[in-house]
Amino acid sequence: MPRLKLGILQVNHDRSVEVGDAFPDDAHRFRDLFDAQEQRFTYRVYMTIGGEVPQDVDEQDAYLITGSPLSVLDDLAFLPTLYDFIRSCDAAKKPLLGACFGHQAIAMALGGMVARQDWNIGIDQIEVSETLPWMQPAVPSIGLYQFHHDAVAALPDGCTPWATSPKCAVAGFTKGDHIFTTQAHPEFSDPFMRCVLDYTKPHLSPEEVADAEATLTRTNDGPLFADWATRFFGGTS
């Protein structure tokens, strides 16, 4: 089976002792998720948080923009370069997947809006409002880890939501068959989720912590989402 060339645009560099030193970085978490499949990838990580993006969209077969504790609402130095690359992928119809921060960055780059909302933390049961061809096996809903305080408030022209939940109105969207996003973190594991939640507790109310912890007994469907993503990129799983 030929290997797909997947470019991972990393928009996070966690230097905390509690999280960053205890777990693999975002790119490695996605690699671990995809490496559990039969389909194999050749990876190239771009440190986009430092301004690095591919010079040509055809450097790789497909791209993925990771999550980040940073906010697209802030004046981040790397955002203009990232937005330009997103628009280049859109123009070339190059497969591009965005997760969490990546989902929001794609929305902003293409003319949508992002706004601050209540925290959404834990495993969110997301309704699949539109089943795309690569979403096999098809399911009516999917449980995925969430950890976000911002959310897409208005979609760009030409984009269609595929996922929603009571805590996240736009939990994912598509454009054509070349852009696919999720507000969720399919790459999270239970130990990582609990570690990040513990690290964030000083910024949360007791009610927010209790609500988040109550969801963690739900099923995590990250591996199912990985199957979908692989088909979206052009592979099989």
Side-chain angles (χ1 to χ4, degrees):
M1 180 180 298
R3 293 193 176 212
L4 284 172
K5 296 188 295 180
L6 179 63
I8 301 178
L9 279 63
Q10 185 159 311
V11 290
N12 178 28
H13 181 47
D14 191 339
R15 299 182 180 182
S16 67
V17 173
E18 296 84 352
V19 180
D21 286 358
F23 291 90
D25 62 23
D26 301 75
H28 281 86
R29 285 196 296 274
F30 272 108
R31 289 175 62 170
D32 288 344
L33 179 68
F34 291 132
D35 282 348
Q37 302 178 126
E38 182 180 350
Q39 172 75 51
R40 307 305 294 169
F41 293 87
T42 297
Y43 300 100
R44 166 73 159 86
V45 177
Y46 299 86
M47 291 305 294
T48 301
I49 191 171
E52 183 187 21
V53 298
Q55 295 303 300
D56 188 314
V57 294
D58 289 330
E59 286 182 20
Q60 312 298 332
D61 296 319
Y63 294 95
L64 181 156
I65 306 172
T66 71
S68 176
L70 302 174
S71 172
V72 298
L73 300 177
D74 293 336
D75 185 20
L76 303 172
F78 67 85
L79 280 177
T81 301
L82 174 59
Y83 289 167
D84 284 345
F85 178 74
I86 291 168
R87 288 188 283 265
S88 294
C89 285
D90 181 36
K93 293 184 167 49
K94 176 66 68 170
L96 175 65
L97 171 65
C100 194
F101 184 100
H103 155 84
Q104 296 169 13
I106 292 171
M108 291 284 281
L110 300 183
M113 293 179 58
V114 171
R116 185 62 43 89
Q117 66 159 38
D118 293 338
W119 283 103
N120 183 12
I121 303 173
I123 296 180
D124 197 9
Q125 197 65 31
I126 300 161
E127 177 188 349
V128 179
S129 54
E130 181 179 0
T131 300
L132 286 306
W134 56 83
M135 294 180 179
Q136 298 299 328
V139 294
S141 68
I142 184 170
L144 295 172
Y145 288 110
Q146 301 269 11
F147 209 118
H148 65 101
H149 204 15
D150 299 337
V152 173
L155 281 172
D157 290 343
C159 294
T160 303
W162 69 266
T164 187
S165 81
K167 289 189 173 182
C168 188
V170 182
F173 66 88
T174 60
K175 184 175 182 182
D177 58 4
H178 63 285
I179 286 178
F180 181 37
T181 79
T182 176
Q183 178 59 68
H185 284 281
E187 81 284 9
F188 273 21
S189 64
D190 181 74
F192 183 79
M193 178 76 218
R194 292 179 185 275
C195 178
V196 176
L197 177 57
D198 286 344
Y199 185 63
T200 313
K201 281 180 180 178
H203 306 287
L204 304 172
S205 70
E207 293 76 17
E208 288 169 330
V209 173
D211 286 349
E213 290 179 337
T215 72
L216 298 183
T217 58
R218 297 174 181 170
T219 299
N220 164 40
D221 292 316
L224 172 60
F225 186 88
D227 289 348
W228 292 358
T230 296
R231 289 191 181 89
F232 166 74
F233 292 144
T236 60
S237 59

